[in-house]
Amino acid sequence: MGSYCGGWWWRTGLWAAVVLAAAAVVAGGNVTYDGRSLIIDGERKVLFSGSIHYPRSTPKMWESLIGKAKEGGIDVIETYVFWNLHEPKPGQYDFSGRNDLVKFIKEVQAQGLYACLRIGPFIESEWTYGGLPFWLHDVPDIVYRTDNEPFKWAAKMAVDLQTGVPWVMCKQPDAPDPVINSCNGMRCGETFAGPNSPSKPALWTENWTSFLQRYGEETYLRSAQDIAFHTLLFIIAKNGSFVNYYMYHGGTNFGRSGAAYMVTQYYDQAPLDEYGLIREPKWSHLKEMHAAVKSCSSTLLNGVQTNISLGQLQQAYVYEDSTAEGNNCAAFLVNNATTDATVEFRNAKFELQPRSISVLPDCEKVAFDTAKVNAAISNRIATTSKTLNGAEHQWEEYREAIPTFSDTTMQFNQIEEQTNITKDSTDYLWYTLSFQPNATSCTEPKLQVKFLSHLVYAFVNGEYAGSARGNSTGQRNAVLVEAPISLSESKNDVSILSVMVGLWDSGPFMEKRYAGLTEVEIQCKENTYNVTSYEWGYQISHSQNNVHILSIKNKIVP
Ligand SMILES: *[C@@H]1O[C@H](CO)[C@@H](O)[C@H](O)[C@H]1NC(C)=O
Ligand SMILES: *[C@@H]1O[C@H](CO)[C@@H](O)[C@H](O)[C@H]1NC(C)=O
Ligand SMILES: *[C@@H]1O[C@H](CO)[C@@H](O)[C@H](O)[C@H]1NC(C)=O
Ligand SMILES: *[C@@H]1O[C@H](CO)[C@@H](O)[C@H](O)[C@H]1NC(C)=O
Ligand SMILES: *[C@@H]1O[C@H](CO)[C@@H](O)[C@H](O)[C@H]1NC(C)=O
Ligand SMILES: *[C@@H]1O[C@H](CO)[C@@H](O)[C@H](O)[C@H]1NC(C)=O
Ligand SMILES: *[C@@H]1O[C@H](CO)[C@@H](O)[C@H](O)[C@H]1NC(C)=O
Ligand SMILES: *[C@@H]1O[C@H](CO)[C@@H](O)[C@H](O)[C@H]1NC(C)=O
Ligand SMILES: CC(=O)N[C@H]1CO[C@H](CO)[C@@H](O)[C@@H]1O
């Protein structure tokens, strides 16, 4: 997902609304669509979908997560397919443990929900390298996410699979037929330009329940009222019939799976928090809204809509289905003013709260008001379940030996890009140099390092010289560290550790993105040595030593 998709590069967030009928394993439903909605087994449907990414929780949590989503009125569980998890090396597949997509989908099916599978190949999703396996980097002539032959397979392949279910492409206004274009964002009820054909329904594939979080940034809070308001607005003002909450459960970026600068908590503010606990009032408020919409969904989908002005910033959207027996009228009263408003609708008075939508499933009684929250705010209290500092839990500290140029086996006559050396096997790369000043006098020497990684630590002759961190925007600008150092007149060992905290997950030409050092100088009063094109030695930092380095990594949280 993300705020970066769009523009001139491709976003290939392809979706398959894979339908898994509750009872039948084999005989999935018949899914088609018209201009109003998806149609399952001949019936138009309003569908509320929730994103839950299987590798961001543990298999033991899946039953409970999906169960809580169902109880919250969710019909569809949406997940990406994480290619780089499943094919870590070309032709080598992994569907075990948290990667067990099939088990996850079967759990969705067992609970009688539908599954919506976003197959990628590119997923962004704050996931390292946007879900692409890093080995693609070494496929000759590859250019990701653009009009590139090795990469262009996606839309045609998807349709050719003949899954029998419709395909959707998010934020691709010109999605080719029969693929349905859709909207992502927080306010699709106001921003979506609509389907690109009258025969396609309006789908909202990412209604962000919160927002992604990077190291050092404030948590983004989005209120239950705001989500409910925009969800209903999309349904009535844009003829929406499918809304996916991104995320319904965010979970955890385990290991090195998070993209550059992402914290390990993912959308902790979603209706189900990182640990799968119900977050109130979001969960209940949306549950109540789902129930109110479902109670009039037939009228909503099959009725004729009229739009009546009730005041300058107040409107009623009324649906009437003359073919239906019994209740055949449903209404939504919108107040877009920032103050209360009293309106008259069908000879009755209604008090509308600021920026609210009230649902009247029978055109008479208010069953749900987006601004009126009934559930109490939940508090999450952490208690200690186990301490790890007793005698039986000895903590050990490992110190990684600082490598020097002569220790290294890999040497190049220039500064190399980091990930091309590490092949993403680790976040850490040592750059080493053996340096001898030409002139005998080099007074007040300083080390200047420009880099495009997230963090660097510099050492000269085994002594710590300085460090600096990049930032998420700093990814676009080399960051500078200038440290006073001591030099001997003979050989000096310069060792610089460059650290990435996850790889990028977005942006054009990711295959050409640069990590690592870019330029190094040793500055003396008398002379400046530009050592960028000297011979550098490289050592990939691995193994137990990461235990030590990881503690450094954690310290970058301010
Ligand atoms: C699926 O439903 C559509 C109409 O809703 C119908 O035209 C089509 O024949 C059905 N396909 C199957 C395989 O039942
Ligand atoms: C509803 O009516 C208002 C004005 O009465 C108009 O501004 C708005 O565009 C209409 N919306 C739709 C979806 O027709
Ligand atoms: C919604 O559908 C109605 C009936 O087909 C149509 O008149 C109206 O223009 C549609 N609104 C939008 C925003 O597409
Ligand atoms: C509500 O008002 C805001 C400005 O206060 C405007 O940006 C938004 O488009 C309006 N929404 C609707 C549904 O009229
Ligand atoms: C990547 O590294 C290899 C050596 O490991 C080098 O031959 C190649 O030129 C590098 N490629 C790029 C794009 O820097
Ligand atoms: C990020 O790094 C860039 C480049 O050094 C700097 O200009 C910018 O102020 C930094 N931003 C933050 C939020 O620290
Ligand atoms: C130091 O010597 C090297 C190797 O002879 C040379 O390339 C470089 O230009 C000299 N640097 C300075 C600052 O004199
Ligand atoms: C240092 O050398 C590199 C590689 O030769 C070069 O790209 C860079 O512009 C030089 N820096 C300065 C300040 O001259
Ligand atoms: C693409 C999009 O609609 N992005 C919006 C998501 O919501 C935030 C907060 O309301 C906006 O700032 C973005 O523009």
Side-chain angles (χ1 to χ4, degrees), residues 137-138 410 412 414 416-417 420-421 423 511:
H137 183 268
D138 293 332
M410 220 187 309
F412 299 102
Q414 62 184 29
E416 289 282 329
E417 196 278 327
N420 184 39
I421 303 286
K423 302 297 176 205
E511 68 288 342

Side-chain angles (χ1 to χ4, degrees), residues 68 109 134 143 162 167 170 200 237 270 296-297 411 420 441 507 557:
K68 285 171 181 167
Q109 177 189 41
F134 190 79
V143 185
Q162 300 194 326
W167 290 92
C170 76
K200 297 179 184 179
C296 58
S297 62
Q411 286 151 4
N420 184 39
S441 86
V557 186

Side-chain angles (χ1 to χ4, degrees), residues 283-322:
W283 184 85
S284 287
H285 196 53
L286 296 180
K287 176 186 164 109
E288 289 168 26
M289 180 185 71
H290 301 151
V293 171
K294 286 298 169 71
S295 72
C296 58
S297 62
S298 172
T299 317
L300 187 64
L301 293 174
N302 301 306
V304 174
Q305 185 199 67
T306 46
N307 177 7
I308 305 161
S309 173
L310 303 176
Q312 209 169 11
L313 294 169
Q314 295 79 28
Q315 291 154 18
Y317 287 85
V318 183
Y319 297 82
E320 284 169 296
D321 183 2
S322 57

